[in-house]
Amino acid sequence: MKIKMIRNHTQRICSAILLILGIVPIFLACPQIVRAAVLIVLDGVFNDWAGQACFSDPAGDAASPTTDLVSYCFATNPNDPIAYFMVERKPSNMSVEIWLRVDVNNDGSYQSSQDRAIRIQYKPQGNHDSTTIDLFNGTNQFLKNLPNVGWGESNQDGGAKIEIGILFTDLGISVGQPLRLFFQSMQGD
């Protein structure tokens, strides 16, 4: 009787361990939501981007050194329906036009009506910047202007970084949705 109880107890422990070992790989394989290490604030101060999900951009892949991107970052804040992006180029006082293309339906084309294209016109100036952000769908149909969602460095600060925040609804996405995206730069006016 005592041996049977020990055997049943051992079987339960083994079953629990096997169940845990089966669940952990599934949990690790699920996509995780990207969240900021600290809260991102759109204010033109970029120290809140330290430790975020950032990616280097290869040098020399743009038309000129003033439009060549160095890196870009992505983050979200908890319970905040805004996707935050930061783009960095080499310091410059020249205007640059940056396009963020988002493959919302994740089909690899970036050109369907569900997809989004965001045009960022960044003009660093003396002690401030001038930034215009327009939203288009993937077929380049203008949807709307996005006022007050971008902040960049001034010429005095180097003119290298800009941060933007775009509502999930404007991007046509939901929380936890996998995305494909890329940045493209060109000379501004």
Side-chain angles (χ1 to χ4, degrees):
M1 178 78 165
K2 192 173 188 178
I3 293 175
K4 188 175 183 179
M5 287 176 50
I6 293 172
R7 188 176 294 153
N8 286 341
H9 183 70
T10 304
Q11 287 174 340
R12 282 190 211 131
I13 290 174
C14 288
S15 295
I17 290 172
L18 289 174
L19 179 64
I20 290 170
L21 291 176
I23 290 174
V24 169
I26 292 170
F27 175 75
L28 294 175
C30 293
Q32 300 296 310
I33 297 171
V34 177
R35 289 208 172 97
V38 297
L39 293 181
I40 297 296
V41 178
L42 294 180
D43 57 4
V45 178
F46 296 91
N47 56 354
D48 50 353
W49 286 98
Q52 305 304 333
C54 295
F55 306 91
S56 298
D57 189 67
D61 64 344
S64 75
T66 61
T67 63
D68 200 9
L69 301 180
V70 173
S71 66
Y72 56 93
C73 304
F74 171 76
T76 60
N77 290 333
N79 303 314
D80 181 359
I82 297 175
Y84 295 94
F85 302 92
M86 192 274 290
V87 180
E88 181 179 9
R89 64 177 177 164
K90 292 181 181 175
S92 174
N93 62 357
M94 302 295 295
S95 298
V96 65
E97 185 171 296
I98 301 168
W99 284 84
L100 166 58
R101 303 222 180 242
V102 183
D103 181 11
V104 174
N105 58 5
N106 208 18
D107 67 357
S109 79
Y110 299 90
Q111 297 175 353
S112 70
S113 59
Q114 298 96 334
D115 296 333
R116 294 292 181 262
I118 297 92
R119 179 177 62 199
I120 306 157
Q121 295 173 312
Y122 170 48
K123 301 172 186 176
Q125 298 175 357
N127 62 358
H128 66 287
D129 77 291
S130 171
T131 302
T132 305
I133 301 176
D134 296 314
L135 179 67
F136 299 81
N137 70 13
T139 63
N140 291 325
Q141 177 185 2
F142 176 79
L143 299 176
K144 66 181 182 177
N145 177 264
L146 301 173
N148 304 315
V149 297
W151 295 83
E153 288 183 330
S154 67
N155 280 341
Q156 292 175 355
D157 295 325
K161 296 177 184 175
I162 183 169
E163 58 185 353
I164 65 172
I166 303 173
L167 287 168
F168 289 176
T169 53
D170 286 339
L171 288 172
I173 63 172
S174 58
V175 174
Q177 177 179 338
L179 294 176
R180 294 178 197 222
L181 60 88
F182 71 89
F183 287 92
Q184 176 183 13
S185 63
M186 56 196 72
Q187 193 66 47
D189 53 352

